Structure formats: C-alpha cells, structure tokens
Amino acid sequence: MSGRAKATRAHVPVEERRRQLTRAAMEVMQDQGAWSLTTRAVAQRAGVPLGAVHYAFHSKAELIAAVFAADIDSAMQLIHRAAQQEGAPEQVLGEALRACAASLRDEPGVELVLQELTLMGARDEVLAALARESIQDYRAGMARVLEELAASRDLRWDADVKVLGEMVFAQLVGLSQNWLASRDDALLDACLADLARQLAGRLQA
C-alpha cells in the first residue's frame, strides 16, 4: 500500500504539484501569518514529503512568487470578466470593482497574507523584489483592462492608462486594508461606487 502511494505521488505532474503546494502555502499563511511560512509546513499541509516541495520549487522565494502569481491571475480574470459586460462605462467599472469587493469579503485571509508579504518586503530584499514584480504585473493587468474598455467603446482616457491603472490599484489596496481593519461594508461599497464614477468621467470621445 505504501509503495503504491509513493508511486502515485511520483507521477503527479509538476505543474499540478505546484498548484497544490501554492494552495497549501496560502493556507499555512492564512492560519499562522505570512512570516510562518516554511517548506516543511507546506509539505505537512499538502500531505506530501518535504522532498516533493523542494522538487517543485527550488526555494521558498520561488514558492512565494507562485503565491503572488496565482493571486494576480485570479484577480485579473475577475476584473477582466466584469469589464467585458455590456453597459455604460460607470456601470461596467462599478461591476468590476464590486467583483473585487466580493472576492475580498469571501476570502479576507488571502488579502491579509498578500499585504503581510508586501510589508515584509520592506525588511527583506528577496521579498521586496517579489513584491515589486507582483505590483508591476498588477499595474500591467489593470492598464490592459482600461485600454480594452476604452477601445470597445471607441473612447479614450484623458491620461496615460499606466497612471490611471496605478491610481486604481493603489486605491483598491488602501480600501482593502481599511476594510480588513473595520469590516465596514457600507463604506467600502460607497467608496468603490465613487471610484467608478470618477474613473468613468475620465473617458472622452
């Protein structure tokens, strides 16, 4: 029985194993804080030998990079789907921002972990580099969504989409951080509605 279990583990595709371990890493950090992450804890959470973690990820930094990447992919898919809806720009932007808020409310621990990792980067060069790369990817994704929204309606933004994307991203991070502390749903919704209104007003014919 033990031999069959080992054989099964050995034949799990690397990409599938990485996804499994990335989820386990996020679970460990949600339970114990981002600073508690170790490859041993991830192996225990995933129910795999420690060697399986080291085979899939050459370092803890590579594992953390995968955590950031998984969040970026999930967030951008969420925003992109919402931005593809029909309707006036303010309505579409509002829907995209509400989708972000819904994700935050569903999994507040995920946002807390990501904010912890980013702040830890202020004291750790490796984490700082990973956080910078993550933020750059968010910026690029946000700018791409804004470009597509304007192009789909034959409109243009009154400023560089990189600047607008950075402003939206910064406000989402700040609002998420405040919500984690206050859990004030009404205020979060009001702020996001106002952000959608202001942003839609910067589209021009």
Side-chain angles (χ1 to χ4, degrees):
M1 193 70 180
S2 175
R4 286 199 295 273
K6 289 180 180 177
T8 301
R9 284 198 297 263
H11 286 88
V12 173
V14 174
E15 287 306 313
E16 181 180 336
R17 179 70 80 200
R18 286 177 178 162
R19 287 192 292 272
Q20 175 195 18
L21 295 173
T22 299
R23 289 193 298 270
M26 176 56 81
E27 290 172 2
V28 168
M29 291 188 286
Q30 286 188 70
D31 288 348
Q32 304 171 27
W35 52 86
S36 68
L37 184 67
T38 64
T39 53
R40 187 174 300 279
V42 172
Q44 291 175 345
R45 179 59 63 100
V48 301
L50 182 59
V53 181
H54 293 159
Y55 177 75
F57 295 102
H58 298 145
S59 67
K60 188 169 78 170
E62 191 174 313
L63 176 56
I64 292 173
V67 169
F68 274 126
D71 177 70
I72 293 167
D73 183 61
S74 175
M76 288 301 107
Q77 285 189 35
L78 191 72
I79 293 172
H80 189 267
R81 282 198 301 270
Q84 296 301 303
Q85 302 300 312
E86 297 294 329
E90 182 179 337
Q91 178 185 348
V92 172
L93 289 165
E95 184 61 33
L97 295 175
R98 283 191 293 275
C100 292
S103 177
L104 172 64
R105 289 174 177 128
D106 287 344
E107 296 186 295
V110 171
E111 180 64 25
L112 181 57
V113 165
L114 295 167
Q115 298 229 14
E116 286 175 344
L117 287 172
T118 301
L119 289 174
M120 285 166 60
R123 296 184 181 276
D124 184 293
E125 290 184 7
V126 174
L127 273 178
L130 294 175
R132 279 196 301 272
E133 291 175 9
S134 172
I135 289 170
Q136 288 168 359
D137 288 341
Y138 269 115
R139 287 170 176 159
M142 196 68 71
R144 188 163 54 250
V145 169
L146 293 177
E147 286 175 340
E148 291 174 358
L149 178 63
S152 68
R153 288 158 175 77
D154 293 322
L155 299 172
R156 61 183 178 83
W157 295 102
D158 68 354
D160 188 335
V161 290
K162 292 181 181 178
V163 173
L164 294 174
E166 174 72 0
M167 291 174 64
V168 173
F169 174 58
Q171 290 186 67
L172 284 175
V173 170
L175 289 170
S176 296
Q177 187 177 73
N178 290 348
W179 181 86
L180 286 171
S182 70
R183 304 300 167 113
D184 190 332
D185 289 324
L187 183 57
L188 175 61
D189 290 339
C191 289
L192 292 177
D194 189 66
L195 175 57
R197 184 165 52 253
Q198 289 185 50
L199 193 56
R202 304 195 66 170
L203 276 168
Q204 300 178 344

